[in-house]
Amino acid sequence: MEKQQQQEQSNLDRDRQYCELCGKMENLLKCGRCRSSFYCSKEHQKQHWKKHKLSCKEADQAQSAVQRVEQQPPTTQPQQLQPGDKASGKAGVKKTHPAQADSPQTTQTEASGDDGSNNNNATPNGQTSSSPQKLATDYIVPCMNKHGICVVDNFLGAETGQAILDNVKSLYKTGRFTDGQLVSQKSDSTKDIRGDKITWIEGREAGCEKIRFLMGRMDDLIRHCNGKLGNYTINGRTKAMVACYPGNGTGYVRHVDNPNGDGRCVTCIYYLNKDWNAKEHGGLLRIFPEGKAQFADIEPKFDRLLLFWSDRRNPHEVQPAFSTRYAITVWYFDADERARAKEKYLTGEKGVKVELNKPSDPS
């Protein structure tokens, strides 16, 4: 019974990835009493306590029935936040010195490197990933279906990530990047809306071998997820959009990737920014999940993979970046929606744009 309870708690911990108050997904701390809710800071826990205390007490009572818990008697104030579980992944409450709450661990999962190894293959909440299939089925599918947003850290490993960054920097120096364009806006207003410079890569171009490898690993993940992500059947993707925000305070205002049903169902972004500090460098991707009061802030950290639904469920913005910010984005197509979009486009129905890129088959 205790083992089952620990497994259930581990699964719950893995799925809860937002600060209960602000929706932030970075450096989360567990509630020290119920251990089933997360906050980005002690201050946000205190602000949310009036709403959280009832469910916190219920979870506390449920846990005490199956395991011995050392804790203070219930009070009208929230107890000390504790960092997420260490690599062992064991559930339960342990005594923690208050100073430890200032050094939280992230709840995002970590993927193994391209050689299948990882110096820290076990994540703070106990989840491990040794293959694209395991990462896809055990983490990405349930996370996407519940939240519509999924973050994977250390996706390819430092060495491969650096090689991809070298490809991107060399590509940028060639002058092939152009101003990012908008489908529904006039060109003279584009720079006020998005300030990135982009180029489209198929993967076979000279000097883009590692970018091609990244695209292949993305395809592997999607292939293992296919048929399990919502009701989608994914049968293709775009080329890779390599983007650079030059670091002059430009960003991209709030928008939706696929507002008109062009076929794109999953947005997949890989970040390449070493030692990124959002307080200093800005450049956060802020997502506003439909129907939720919270938003999710994603730092564009090196070797981080982000996936989210491409449609109106996830409006998002890139906040002004004050340091050079690189990212590679691929969009995956749902077969039925893409076919309908093409038919509408060919019959001349207004408001339909499908000329994004010729899709590539991920299989």
Side-chain angles (χ1 to χ4, degrees):
M1 183 68 176
E2 182 177 354
K3 185 176 181 180
Q4 180 182 358
Q5 177 71 16
Q6 290 177 349
Q7 182 61 47
E8 291 175 354
Q9 184 66 38
S10 178
N11 292 339
L12 178 62
D13 290 350
R14 183 181 65 193
D15 286 339
R16 295 294 294 273
Q17 293 192 34
Y18 298 104
C19 170
E20 294 282 352
L21 184 66
C22 71
K24 186 177 180 182
M25 300 176 74
E26 302 283 342
N27 300 329
L28 299 181
L29 294 162
K30 283 183 181 178
C31 172
R33 171 190 279 168
C34 68
R35 301 187 65 77
S36 61
S37 293
F38 290 83
Y39 296 92
C40 64
S41 66
K42 291 181 288 185
E43 289 73 19
H44 277 198
Q45 187 206 22
K46 290 178 180 178
Q47 291 178 35
H48 193 252
W49 176 242
K50 287 185 179 181
K51 292 185 177 180
H52 176 59
K53 62 181 178 181
L54 294 178
S55 61
C56 183
K57 290 178 181 178
E58 292 173 356
D60 183 30
Q61 292 170 357
Q63 285 187 5
S64 63
V66 295
Q67 65 186 82
R68 296 179 61 186
V69 179
E70 291 182 74
Q71 61 178 20
Q72 297 296 323
T75 67
T76 57
Q77 293 296 323
Q79 295 189 15
Q80 178 67 49
L81 284 169
Q82 299 179 7
D85 289 341
K86 295 185 181 297
S88 63
K90 294 181 179 179
V93 176
K94 56 181 176 293
K95 288 185 177 180
T96 304
H97 191 277
Q100 288 181 301
D102 295 329
S103 302
Q105 300 176 14
T106 62
T107 59
Q108 281 79 27
T109 191
E110 298 185 13
S112 57
D114 56 308
D115 59 355
S117 64
N118 189 343
N119 292 332
N120 184 21
N121 196 41
T123 61
N125 61 12
Q127 182 184 350
T128 61
S129 178
S130 58
S131 69
Q133 182 175 6
K134 185 173 179 63
L135 178 63
T137 58
D138 289 3
Y139 178 67
I140 292 176
V141 167
C143 188
M144 284 290 288
N145 286 334
K146 181 170 184 178
H147 300 295
I149 305 169
C150 186
V151 176
V152 180
D153 282 332
N154 302 322
F155 179 50
L156 298 177
E159 184 176 351
T160 301
Q162 181 61 55
I164 297 169
L165 179 58
D166 291 342
N167 273 187
V168 170
K169 287 183 175 180
S170 297
L171 192 63
Y172 191 70
K173 290 179 181 178
T174 65
R176 291 179 54 180
F177 284 59
T178 58
D179 290 339
Q181 297 297 310
L182 301 171
V183 172
S184 58
Q185 296 288 336
K186 296 181 180 180
S187 59
D188 59 359
S189 65
T190 296
K191 289 185 179 180
D192 294 331
I193 297 174
R194 62 182 296 183
D196 57 338
K197 295 184 178 296
I198 66 169
T199 189
W200 294 93
I201 297 297
E202 183 179 354
R204 301 182 184 277
E205 298 87 345
C208 296
E209 293 78 13
K210 291 300 180 180
I211 297 176
R212 181 181 181 183
F213 175 80
L214 166 66
M215 296 164 71
R217 288 301 297 269
M218 289 178 171
D219 289 348
D220 286 343
L221 283 183
I222 296 298
R223 186 182 302 113
H224 291 303
C225 291
N226 208 359
K228 302 171 186 175
L229 291 173
N231 297 318
Y232 295 124
T233 299
I234 296 173
N235 69 337
R237 60 162 166 79
T238 66
K239 297 178 181 179
M241 186 187 78
V242 184
C244 172
Y245 288 86
N248 55 358
T250 55
Y252 195 162
V253 301
R254 183 167 172 169
H255 65 284
V256 173
D257 285 352
N258 175 18
N260 299 316
D262 63 22
R264 289 178 290 172
C265 60
V266 175
T267 300
C268 193
I269 308 176
Y270 181 70
Y271 292 112
L272 289 156
N273 309 294
K274 288 190 169 182
D275 303 318
W276 193 268
N277 182 334
K279 291 183 178 180
E280 179 181 354
H281 303 138
L284 286 172
L285 181 73
R286 176 165 288 181
I287 304 178
F288 305 86
E290 184 183 47
K292 295 184 179 179
Q294 304 119 335
F295 52 81
D297 280 342
I298 314 296
E299 291 189 39
K301 291 183 177 180
F302 179 77
D303 200 27
R304 167 172 283 179
L305 186 71
L306 168 67
L307 302 93
F308 58 89
W309 302 132
S310 304
D311 58 21
R312 294 179 182 273
R313 285 173 288 181
N314 284 318
H316 55 281
E317 66 186 18
V318 177
Q319 298 187 343
F322 301 98
S323 184
T324 305
R325 180 189 188 276
Y326 293 109
I328 299 176
T329 304
V330 169
W331 287 271
Y332 287 88
F333 291 121
D334 171 61
D336 291 341
E337 183 179 314
R338 185 67 174 173
R340 291 195 300 269
K342 286 183 176 180
E343 182 178 357
K344 291 178 181 178
Y345 179 69
L346 291 174
T347 57
E349 185 170 331
K350 294 182 179 181
V352 177
K353 302 286 185 179
V354 297
E355 64 272 30
L356 175 68
N357 269 308
K358 182 178 180 181
S360 301
D361 189 351
S363 60

